[in-house]
Amino acid sequence: MNVIEMNDGRKVDYALRKTKLTFADGALTIDLARYQRDYTVTKDIMADGDGNLLVGANGRYYVAQVEIPPIEYEETVVEAEPMPAAESEGDGENQDGGTETRTTVERTAKPLNTDEVTLRLWSVAGFDIY
């Protein structure tokens, strides 16, 4: 995981175990793989006026921001099957005299690579995080 400190001062404690990112000794845990999509996802971690951690923009203070990379896929050719000849083509052969085939590709999502996740941290000096 790439960690970027956005300013000086004490930062919230965090721990990454597999795809779960935990803040403040368990006050908030998010499963990064659960939020991964076909595009980059950004989640804001904020604190309310009482120091409770929240996911989203409903807080009062920025604590962290997590950037989750898009899903990567592995593509595998499953099978190649002859295509039915179009009525106007006659015998189903292409211009080179060979039979045309249809290729099926299967896309399988790869597991989240947490090395590609970016965590931005802001100072939490001056208030307690729960």
Side-chain angles (χ1 to χ4, degrees):
M1 182 166 56
N2 304 307
V3 179
I4 301 169
E5 293 192 8
M6 301 302 291
N7 56 6
D8 293 331
R10 183 176 66 89
K11 309 298 188 276
V12 67
D13 293 329
Y14 67 90
L16 179 64
R17 290 181 186 87
K18 296 186 181 183
T19 64
K20 291 186 173 66
L21 183 59
T22 301
F23 295 96
D25 293 327
L28 176 71
T29 300
I30 60 173
D31 186 350
L32 303 173
R34 179 175 163 241
Y35 289 107
Q36 193 177 31
R37 300 287 183 266
D38 287 332
Y39 49 87
T40 300
V41 173
T42 302
K43 292 294 180 186
D44 296 326
I45 310 302
M46 302 188 77
D48 64 12
D50 295 326
N52 298 306
L53 292 179
L54 312 164
V55 177
N58 296 328
R60 198 168 187 185
Y61 308 102
Y62 263 95
V63 173
Q65 186 179 66
V66 183
E67 189 174 290
I68 305 163
I71 297 171
E72 292 184 8
Y73 292 94
E74 184 173 318
E75 295 184 348
T76 307
V77 176
V78 177
E79 58 187 51
E81 57 187 57
M83 289 179 54
E87 291 179 22
S88 62
E89 293 180 28
D91 62 6
E93 293 183 356
N94 63 19
Q95 293 176 350
D96 298 331
T99 304
E100 296 204 19
T101 59
R102 177 181 308 150
T103 301
T104 304
V105 177
E106 184 176 284
R107 291 178 67 195
T108 306
K110 294 180 181 180
L112 172 65
N113 180 355
T114 55
D115 289 340
E116 295 179 12
V117 171
T118 299
L119 175 62
R120 293 178 183 86
L121 298 171
W122 278 267
S123 174
V124 294
F127 62 97
D128 292 322
I129 299 293
Y130 302 103

